[in-house]
């Protein structure tokens, strides 16, 4: 892997606005600065977050923050046509990856985020009607115009990534990956990323461990509990450390707005799980030994 262009932990902005904490401008600026002070300099957005409003809220806060644009990285995503108040013309949730829409959507994100460029533009989810050559044409135009630095995808399988990369290089694939959702480790998705030197990012890195009370999560909590003292860590830090040990160099997108948890997340990057401990955590999740 080449040197990361993004911070080791990425701040996911989905819950900053209407779809979550509804932070006011002052609180957003404070949270941005807390992230930066803790070496979290990459902020992950999507056009649809907050029913197409969170980019606006973040951008207005950023414009008042006096944060140097060169010191942060902004990610956004496009493609999902969301049913909501801001786009009443959408009758069904769907995907649009026409050349004109990709360019228009990116330009909208730039205006809302109050920036001249995105460090990374992602296609939010694969569409069965994607025309790879048309997508490549749109991305080439955006790069030539300096509106995006890098291009990637989100939630793409290995075969979907291979198809698109025939026409345009993919720098990043942001997927769902955690101890409780690790199919990408077995279906070739992470293998292809390593093969092509594609940066991997993951959303929902804590999975369902704290959201659900099941036999699986109880096994996980029990095993993590055995390791807390050894690593002087919290359970969520061990879950991140488990992801970070994978050779695909996965960068977790952390959705919390809690400053203590954000600080703890970046501290997790200094934890190196021993080999057998890593497998003991996997076994706890699976409920059986590895083959």
């Amino acid at each position: 892997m080449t040197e990361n262009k993004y911070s080791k932990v990425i701040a996911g902005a989905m819950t900053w606005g209407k779809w979550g904490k509804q932070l006011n401008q002052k609180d957003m600026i404070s949270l941005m600065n807390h992230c930066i002070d803790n070496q979290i300099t990459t902020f992950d957005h999507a056009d649809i977050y907050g029913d197409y409003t969170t980019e606006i809220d973040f951008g207005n806060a950023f414009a008042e923050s006096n944060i140097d644009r060169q010191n942060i990285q902004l990610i956004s995503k496009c493609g999902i046509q969301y049913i909501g108040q801001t786009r009443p013309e959408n009758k069904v949730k769907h995907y649009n990856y026409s050349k004109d829409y990709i360019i228009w959507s990116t330009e909208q994100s730039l205006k809302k985020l109050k920036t001249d460029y995105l460090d990374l533009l992602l296609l939010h989810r694969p569409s069965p009607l994607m025309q790879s050559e048309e997508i490549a044409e749109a991305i080439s135009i955006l790069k030539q115009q300096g509106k995006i630095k890098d291009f990637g995808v989100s939630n793409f399988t290995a075969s979907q990534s291979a198809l698109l990369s025939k026409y345009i290089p993919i720098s990043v694939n942001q997927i769902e990956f955690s101890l409780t959702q690790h199919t990408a480790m077995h279906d070739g998705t992470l293998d292809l990323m390593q093969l092509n030197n594609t940066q991997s990012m993951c959303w929902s890195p804590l999975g369902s461990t704290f959201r659900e009370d099941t036999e699986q999560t109880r096994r996980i909590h029990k095993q993590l509990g055995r390791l807390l003292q050894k690593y002087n860590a919290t359970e969520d830090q061990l879950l991140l450390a488990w992801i970070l040990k994978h050779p695909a160099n996965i960068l977790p997108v952390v959705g919390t707005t809690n400053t203590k948890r954000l600080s703890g997340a970046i501290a997790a990057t200094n934890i190196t799980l021993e080999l057998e401990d890593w497998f003991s955590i996997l076994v706890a999740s699976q409920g059986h030994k590895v083959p």
Side-chain angles (χ1 to χ4, degrees):
M1 274 288 174
T2 54
E3 185 180 351
N4 286 337
K5 299 177 181 179
Y6 313 99
S7 53
K8 292 180 180 179
V9 170
I10 296 170
M14 187 177 79
T15 63
W16 288 33
K18 184 177 177 182
W19 283 0
K21 298 299 183 181
Q22 302 184 47
L23 301 176
N24 61 34
Q25 187 174 105
K26 180 182 176 183
D27 289 339
M28 276 205 183
I29 292 172
S30 176
L31 191 54
M32 289 179 202
N33 281 308
H34 177 82
C35 287
I36 294 167
D37 290 344
N38 284 272
Q39 292 81 52
I40 300 174
T41 59
T42 306
F43 298 89
D44 179 77
H45 290 271
D47 56 351
I48 65 168
Y49 291 166
D51 189 9
Y52 299 95
T53 65
T54 301
E55 286 183 323
I56 297 171
D57 295 338
F58 184 98
N60 289 337
F62 172 64
E64 296 296 321
S65 70
N66 295 318
I67 294 169
D68 188 338
R69 175 66 180 89
Q70 295 182 345
N71 292 338
I72 65 169
Q73 302 82 46
L74 295 177
I75 301 170
S76 197
K77 312 177 193 76
C78 74
I80 297 177
Q81 288 279 19
Y82 183 76
I83 303 172
Q85 295 179 348
T86 57
R87 293 194 184 178
E89 68 275 13
N90 289 341
K91 306 306 180 190
V92 62
K93 184 182 177 184
H94 62 286
Y95 311 115
N96 188 341
Y97 289 124
S98 68
K99 174 182 141 185
D100 289 345
Y101 182 78
I102 291 171
I103 292 172
W104 176 84
S105 183
T106 302
E107 290 173 342
Q108 289 296 304
S109 289
L110 294 177
K111 289 176 185 175
K112 292 175 180 179
L113 290 169
K114 301 285 200 295
T115 184
D116 296 328
Y117 66 93
L118 293 175
D119 295 271
L120 175 64
L121 173 70
L122 302 175
L123 305 186
H124 204 155
R125 285 191 178 273
S127 169
L129 298 180
M130 290 186 303
Q131 296 283 350
S132 297
E133 291 178 85
E134 185 172 359
I135 291 170
E137 190 176 347
I139 299 307
S140 295
I141 290 169
L142 289 168
K143 282 191 169 184
Q144 288 166 8
Q145 293 176 341
K147 292 175 180 176
I148 65 172
K149 288 190 173 183
D150 270 329
F151 165 70
V153 296
S154 183
N155 304 300
F156 273 50
T157 65
S159 59
Q160 290 162 342
S161 298
L163 174 63
L164 184 55
S165 63
K166 178 182 177 183
Y167 299 95
I168 190 161
I170 295 174
S171 298
V172 171
N173 189 1
Q174 185 183 121
I175 59 171
E176 182 179 8
F177 186 76
S178 66
L179 180 61
T180 57
Q181 173 49 277
H182 49 71
T183 54
M185 204 162 63
H186 306 295
D187 66 8
T189 303
L190 286 173
D191 297 337
L192 184 70
M193 288 192 226
Q194 293 178 82
L195 185 65
N196 292 341
N197 202 33
T198 302
Q199 176 65 64
S200 50
M201 298 178 181
C202 73
W203 56 272
S204 193
L206 303 184
S208 61
T209 302
F210 299 105
R211 289 200 312 264
E212 299 175 6
D213 181 19
T214 63
E215 286 187 17
Q216 180 191 36
T217 59
R218 286 193 288 272
R219 289 194 307 266
I220 290 170
H221 287 302
K222 186 176 180 180
Q223 181 56 33
L224 294 177
R226 297 185 181 116
L227 298 172
L228 296 180
Q229 189 171 358
K230 178 177 180 178
Y231 290 98
N232 189 26
T234 59
E235 288 190 351
D236 53 335
Q237 286 178 317
L238 291 178
L239 290 171
L240 293 175
W242 186 86
I243 291 171
L244 293 165
K245 191 172 179 66
H246 194 281
N249 187 32
I250 304 166
L251 305 180
V253 180
V254 178
T256 184
T257 58
N258 182 297
T259 54
K260 185 178 179 181
R261 288 183 63 195
L262 283 164
S263 300
I266 201 69
T269 63
N270 296 317
I271 299 171
T272 303
L273 292 175
E274 293 179 8
L275 184 67
E276 290 196 9
D277 290 338
W278 188 91
F279 276 99
S280 74
I281 295 170
L282 175 62
V283 167
S285 174
Q286 294 182 153
H288 57 79
K289 63 183 179 182
V290 296

